[in-house]
């Protein structure tokens, strides 16, 4: 509204002084930057066999962002419990989970580098032995009685999030006969509009399974793969307690529109 | 050499994997962990609007239902307004309707359901009326990047025929892949849909 008032005032000035109206850039319409598909995996990636029957083959229909895409669900602290971002405590029954204690932290930003505030980040993972607490996981590694393997957090005003967990183990899967997943944590992120919705995975710096993973190598761009690998952040580590990894997440850029309850932009 | 244009790049998508339930709907994974859970029920007793059930399946290229898929829906309320600050249209907000829900498919049948209300028609920024619709996002093992599509309603023939998005689909025969069929079962209104990932009936997916 402030920008609009300034524009009207400038136009009135121009009329009064008999000068041409000054140029003002168009207001953002609240749409998102076009998605760069070259840094995402294609739907059909035969090296990852599950994609063969599950990939659309027709071209996607390009759709200019409308109100249906630039809006999305709004979450608040009422949606979370106090232990939701502590995977060491949120399922503990009679002791600590087994494994290497770690902290993961970072920022959710958009492509302009602006933090995405108050957005929901959810994460899930295997335990230290590489076994998921899921009724369909039958891998021989033991289930940890004190580890659930999931959590969630809201970003703060600057887009920052953090959680504490156990470093997950690698595990085998039926892609090639001897395929193993690198250690990873799944991330689900919302952003401010439904078109920013994203699921991805975080990997750990130095893992030798990263270059041979059939899922990671669905991504055609090496730099995009590198950006999924979280570096060890020794400065943020807790002495005699936890190593820390840093994982920043970038969502699509917003051609910003003015929200009264979010004057810094969306 | 020009100045660098320093935009960041969007984080690359990865598959949600077969165990997406652990993080997003842990009850389906077989354990209870969060005090508050998200679900496929979007309504409370106070929500305004016509109660409906959305019921469907997602089929792979062999016609087999996906039994590990997760869907999220996002929709306007009965007055055609989204519960989000960017929607400043005229319809009234409904405090009892967030407009968002998620559901996993049944591990045996692949059946997916949502309990919600029928959304009202929205007006786009060009002032055109858009047919009532529900936005759908689909993730699963083998889906490398979440798929976006919409569901429209079979009893909105006139509105559908004038809808600007449905009319963007060049082949009229493919528009029908987005239409959910209305029926009544034991006094309840059910809209049935099938999402085909491949094949001659492949659903229209959007690059939004």
């Amino acid at each position: 509204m402030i920008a609009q008032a300034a524009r009207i005032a400038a136009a009135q000035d121009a009329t009064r002084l008999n000068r041409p109206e000054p140029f003002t850039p168009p207001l953002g319409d609240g749409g998102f930057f076009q998605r760069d598909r070259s840094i995402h995996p294609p739907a059909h990636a035969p090296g990852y066999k599950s994609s063969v029957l599950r990939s659309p083959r027709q071209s996607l229909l390009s759709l200019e962002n409308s109100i249906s895409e630039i809006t999305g669900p709004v979450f608040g602290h009422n949606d979370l419990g106090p232990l939701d971002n502590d995977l060491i405590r949120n399922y503990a029954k009679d002791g600590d989970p087994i494994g290497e204690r770690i902290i993961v932290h970072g920022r959710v930003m958009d492509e302009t580098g602006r933090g995405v505030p108050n957005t929901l980040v959810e994460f899930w993972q295997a335990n230290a032995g590489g076994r998921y607490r899921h009724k369909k996981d039958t891998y021989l590694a033991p289930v940890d009685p004190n580890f659930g393997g999931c959590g969630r957090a809201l970003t703060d005003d600057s887009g920052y999030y953090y959680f504490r967990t156990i470093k997950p183990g690698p595990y085998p899967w039926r892609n090639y006969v001897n395929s193993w997943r690198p250690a990873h944590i799944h991330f689900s992120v919302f952003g401010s509009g439904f078109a920013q919705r994203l699921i991805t995975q975080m990997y750990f710096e130095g893992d030798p399974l990263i270059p041979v993973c059939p899922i990671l190598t669905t991504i055609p761009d090496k730099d995009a793969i590198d950006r999924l690998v979280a570096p060890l952040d020794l400065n943020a580590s807790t002495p005699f307690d936890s190593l820390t990894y840093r994982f920043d997440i970038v969502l699509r850029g917003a051609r910003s529109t003015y929200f009264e309850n979010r004057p810094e932009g969306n | 050499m020009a100045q660098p244009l320093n935009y960041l790049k969007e984080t690359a998508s990865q598959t949600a994997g077969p165990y997406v339930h652990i993080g997003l709907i842990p009850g389906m994974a077989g354990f209870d962990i969060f005090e508050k859970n998200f679900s496929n029920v979007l309504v409370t007793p106070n929500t305004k609007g016509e109660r409906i059930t959305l019921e469907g399946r997602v089929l792979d290229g062999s016609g087999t239902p996906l039994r590990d898929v997760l869907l999220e829906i996002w929709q306007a309320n009965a007055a055609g307004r989204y519960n989000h600050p960017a929607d400043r249209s005229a319809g009234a907000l409904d405090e009892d309707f967030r407009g968002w829900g998620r559901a996993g498919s049944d591990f045996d049948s692949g059946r997916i359901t949502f309990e919600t209300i029928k959304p009202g028609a929205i007006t786009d920024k060009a002032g055109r009326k858009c047919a009532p619709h529900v936005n759908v996002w689909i993730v699963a093992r083998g889906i490398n990047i979440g798929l976006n599509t919409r569901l429209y309603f079979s009893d909105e023939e006139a509105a559908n025929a004038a809808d600007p998005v449905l009319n963007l689909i060049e082949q009229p025969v493919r528009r029908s892949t987005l239409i959910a069929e209305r029926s009544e079962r034991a006094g309840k209104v059910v809209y049935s849909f099938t999402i085909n990932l491949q094949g001659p009936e492949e659903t229209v997916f959007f690059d939004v």
Side-chain angles (χ1 to χ4, degrees), chain B residues 64-104:
Chain B
T64 306
L66 271 59
R67 294 173 300 175
D68 56 6
V69 67
L70 181 131
L71 263 61
E72 288 185 2
I73 60 171
W74 169 241
Q75 64 170 96
N77 67 21
R81 180 155 171 192
Y82 287 99
N83 192 351
H84 185 277
D87 190 344
R88 284 159 294 174
S89 57
L93 273 178
D94 182 350
E95 283 181 15
D96 295 296
F97 192 65
R98 172 143 61 186
W100 170 82
R102 62 168 52 136

Side-chain angles (χ1 to χ4, degrees), chain B residues 3 11 54 64 67 117 196 206:
Chain B
Q3 299 179 19
T11 299
L54 293 173
T64 306
R67 294 173 300 175
I117 49 122
N196 286 286
F206 300 126

Side-chain angles (χ1 to χ4, degrees), chain A residues 21-209:
Chain A
E21 285 190 26
F23 170 76
T24 49
L27 277 177
D29 62 2
F32 293 105
F33 295 180
Q34 174 182 313
R35 174 167 266 164
D36 180 355
R37 294 257 167 196
S38 71
I39 56 168
H40 289 288
H44 181 241
Y48 171 33
K49 293 181 181 177
S50 294
S51 77
V52 171
L53 278 179
R54 294 181 167 204
S55 44
R57 301 302 168 89
Q58 306 283 336
S59 300
L60 303 181
L61 181 72
S62 297
L63 203 59
E64 193 183 347
N65 280 178
S66 73
I67 196 75
S68 296
E69 287 78 35
I70 69 169
T71 57
V74 177
F75 300 98
H77 289 282
N78 285 342
D79 290 309
L80 306 184
L83 291 179
D84 281 4
N85 72 338
D86 187 356
L87 282 69
I88 290 181
R89 286 282 173 269
N90 68 8
Y91 198 77
K93 304 295 182 208
D94 57 6
D96 284 341
I98 301 295
E100 183 182 338
R101 299 157 65 91
I102 61 167
I103 291 167
V104 178
H105 73 146
R107 280 181 79 214
V108 180
M109 295 170 284
D110 76 3
E111 287 167 298
T112 67
R114 234 174 358 200
V116 183
N118 309 315
T119 195
L120 186 67
V121 183
E122 298 164 283
F123 19 85
W124 67 100
Q125 61 170 93
N127 68 23
R131 173 89 177 256
Y132 284 100
R133 179 173 291 280
H134 192 288
K135 54 185 170 190
K136 297 287 182 187
D137 189 349
T138 55
Y139 179 40
L140 54 76
V143 174
D144 186 331
N146 292 309
F147 191 68
C150 58
R152 48 198 188 179
L154 271 187
T155 61
D156 70 9
D157 289 345
S158 64
Y160 183 73
Y161 75 91
Y162 62 93
F163 62 96
R164 183 167 78 152
T165 186
I166 294 292
K167 189 174 180 186
Y171 57 84
W173 59 301
R174 294 187 188 281
N175 191 65
Y176 303 121
V177 171
N178 198 16
S179 290
W180 292 74
R181 293 295 336 269
H184 62 276
I185 299 176
H186 297 265
F187 275 73
S188 165
V189 193
F190 278 84
S192 59
F194 209 45
Q196 287 177 306
R197 194 81 181 81
L198 183 73
I199 278 186
T200 188
Q201 301 178 29
M202 177 201 115
Y203 302 89
F204 292 87
E205 180 180 16
D207 190 330
L209 292 168

Side-chain angles (χ1 to χ4, degrees), chain B residues 6-208:
Chain B
N6 287 326
Y7 286 114
L8 301 174
K9 289 282 192 183
E10 188 184 11
T11 299
S13 175
Q14 290 276 267
T15 175
Y19 305 132
V20 61
H21 320 89
I22 292 176
L24 306 188
I25 34 176
M28 268 196 82
F31 66 107
D32 180 32
I33 181 164
F34 296 135
E35 293 171 26
K36 297 160 189 175
N37 289 286
F38 301 127
S39 85
N40 63 332
V41 179
L42 285 74
V43 291
T44 74
N46 299 324
T47 303
K48 298 180 184 67
E50 180 191 9
R51 298 295 188 275
I52 64 170
T53 300
L54 293 173
E55 176 188 76
R57 295 184 306 172
V58 180
L59 307 183
D60 73 12
S62 75
T64 306
L66 271 59
R67 294 173 300 175
D68 56 6
V69 67
L70 181 131
L71 263 61
E72 288 185 2
I73 60 171
W74 169 241
Q75 64 170 96
N77 67 21
R81 180 155 171 192
Y82 287 99
N83 192 351
H84 185 277
D87 190 344
R88 284 159 294 174
S89 57
L93 273 178
D94 182 350
E95 283 181 15
D96 295 296
F97 192 65
R98 172 143 61 186
W100 170 82
R102 62 168 52 136
S105 59
D106 181 83
F107 287 132
D108 296 318
S109 66
R111 185 170 171 268
I112 301 152
T113 61
F114 289 98
E115 301 299 331
T116 183
I117 49 122
K118 193 169 170 194
I122 63 171
T123 307
D124 73 8
K125 60 190 174 199
R128 298 173 297 192
K129 274 279 184 206
C130 303
H133 63 271
V134 171
N135 304 290
V136 182
W137 184 72
I138 305 158
V139 290
R141 169 177 68 94
I143 293 178
N144 284 329
I145 180 164
L147 296 168
N148 291 88
T149 186
R150 291 182 175 188
L151 292 177
Y152 289 84
F153 299 92
S154 64
D155 55 330
E156 297 281 352
E157 268 183 49
N160 291 343
D163 183 77
V165 170
L166 282 174
N167 279 298
L168 277 180
I169 303 170
E170 182 186 348
Q171 304 86 358
V173 65
R174 297 198 70 211
R175 294 174 196 163
S176 63
T177 65
L178 304 184
I179 312 289
E181 283 298 323
R182 181 183 174 111
S183 62
E184 289 191 25
R185 246 179 268 163
K188 290 183 73 178
V189 176
V190 180
Y191 286 93
S192 306
F193 64 92
T194 302
I195 292 170
N196 286 286
L197 296 179
Q198 292 177 5
E201 308 283 315
E202 184 177 310
T203 297
V204 174
F205 298 103
F206 300 126
D207 184 4
V208 297

